[in-house]
Amino acid sequence: MKQFEHTNTIKAGIIFIIISAIAPLSLSAQKLTDNNIVKDSKQLSIGIGYNFRKVPGYLESMKPFEVTANYSINNRHSFYITLPLYIKNRNSMNEDDNPYSSQEFLKLKRRLYGINLGYDYHFIQRRNFSEFIGIGFDYYRTKERIESVNYDSSRDKKENVSHDFIQNIYALAPQFGVDYSIEHFKVELKYKYAFARIRKNEKYNFTTGEKSWNIATQHANKIIEGLSLSVYYKF
C-alpha cells in the first residue's frame, strides 16, 4: 500500500495538535451555569448544505450538495447521517479540456452519491453557541461518462464511443466544527480531514457492439479535506 505524502502527514499532525490544545477546554465548559448551557433534550434536526470539499473525479473535482439528519441524545452527544449528491451534464467542451484530442466530443455526464455516518461531541456550549469534535465514515460513488465520436480509419467510418470512469471512495474522517442556534434553526460549519481509499474502474464501449474493454482496477490513497456549511431546522 502506498504511503500518504509527507505534507499530508504534517497537516494531520497540525490538526491533531490543534484538537489536543482545545479539548481541555471542555473541562471548563462543564462549569458553566445552567442559564448558559443548552438544556439536555433529545432532538431531531434536518438540514441542507453545500460541501466545499473537492471529491476527486476524472476530469475535475466535484462539490456535492448534502441533506443531513442529525439526532441529539443530549446537549453533548449527537449522531448524524448525510446523503451527498452531485449531478452535472455538459453538451459541449472547450478544445483545451477535451481528453480526446482526436475525437469529437458530444456529451459529459457526471454523477456523485453516497452516505456519511458519524458522531459529534459538543465539548463547549455557551448560550446558543457550540463547538464540537467528532469522527465519521464517508462513502462516495462517482460515475463520469464521456460520449464522443471516433473515426475508424480501417473502416473509413465514424462510431460513437462512451468512456465510463467509476470510483468507490471509502474514508475515515476526523472532524471539528461550530454551530449557532436561534430557536428552531441552526447554522453549522464543519471541517473534515479524511483518510480515503479509492477504487477506480474504467470502461470503453463502442455503439457498434463489436468491441469494448475494461481498464484494470486501480487503488489509491488520498487525503480529502472538506469544509461544509449547513442550515438545520430543529423539530
Side-chain angles (χ1 to χ4, degrees):
M1 183 183 296
K2 297 175 61 179
Q3 297 295 323
F4 292 109
E5 296 181 0
H6 180 62
T7 54
N8 291 328
T9 302
I10 295 176
K11 289 182 179 179
I14 293 173
I15 291 176
F16 177 80
I17 292 172
I18 293 173
I19 294 176
S20 299
I22 62 178
L25 294 177
S26 61
L27 296 176
S28 60
Q30 298 286 349
K31 300 178 181 179
L32 295 175
T33 62
D34 292 338
N35 292 332
N36 291 330
I37 297 179
V38 179
K39 294 181 179 179
D40 289 4
S41 61
K42 295 181 179 179
Q43 191 172 57
L44 174 67
S45 57
I46 303 295
I48 57 174
Y50 180 73
N51 197 330
F52 299 93
R53 165 185 297 185
K54 295 182 178 180
V55 179
Y58 177 67
L59 295 177
E60 58 186 12
S61 300
M62 291 175 266
K63 300 177 181 179
F65 286 93
E66 299 178 334
V67 177
T68 301
N70 188 295
Y71 184 74
S72 299
I73 298 177
N74 53 42
N75 66 308
R76 297 289 178 191
H77 308 280
S78 64
F79 295 89
Y80 68 86
I81 177 171
T82 299
L83 303 177
L85 180 64
Y86 179 93
I87 298 175
K88 185 176 182 179
N89 297 324
R90 292 173 62 182
N91 293 319
S92 63
M93 179 180 286
N94 296 329
E95 183 177 350
D96 293 340
D97 296 331
N98 193 336
Y100 312 113
S101 57
S102 62
Q103 298 177 351
E104 178 184 351
F105 174 81
L106 291 180
K107 186 179 293 185
L108 169 65
K109 298 180 180 179
R110 312 184 74 211
R111 303 287 187 270
L112 178 151
Y113 62 88
I115 185 170
N116 304 162
L117 303 171
Y119 161 79
D120 291 324
Y121 174 71
H122 297 256
F123 61 92
I124 292 181
Q125 290 193 335
R126 186 173 181 84
R127 299 187 184 279
N128 297 330
F129 179 80
S130 175
E131 297 182 21
F132 61 87
I133 57 175
I135 189 72
F137 174 78
D138 299 346
Y139 168 74
Y140 298 96
R141 180 177 175 84
T142 68
K143 181 176 181 179
E144 298 171 89
R145 166 168 285 193
I146 300 173
E147 297 178 357
S148 58
V149 175
N150 182 40
Y151 176 72
D152 189 340
S153 58
S154 63
R155 295 183 298 171
D156 192 26
K157 64 180 296 185
K158 291 183 177 181
E159 58 184 353
N160 293 333
V161 182
S162 66
H163 174 200
D164 292 332
F165 182 83
I166 300 171
Q167 290 187 132
N168 290 289
I169 303 174
Y170 308 87
L172 184 65
Q175 59 204 17
F176 62 90
V178 296
D179 62 53
Y180 187 82
S181 300
I182 303 176
E183 295 183 351
H184 286 282
F185 294 94
K186 179 177 72 173
V187 179
E188 178 188 87
L189 185 66
K190 178 186 289 187
Y191 173 81
K192 286 187 175 183
Y193 191 88
F195 301 86
R197 178 70 169 170
I198 304 176
R199 185 175 185 268
K200 305 177 182 180
N201 296 93
E202 292 185 63
K203 183 177 182 180
Y204 289 88
N205 291 298
F206 294 81
T207 53
T208 58
E210 296 180 5
K211 55 183 177 179
S212 64
W213 66 83
N214 295 320
I215 307 298
T217 300
Q218 300 178 3
H219 295 86
N221 296 323
K222 190 177 181 65
I223 295 294
I224 303 178
E225 299 178 75
L227 182 68
S228 61
L229 179 64
S230 303
V231 177
Y232 291 85
Y233 181 81
K234 299 185 291 184
F235 294 90

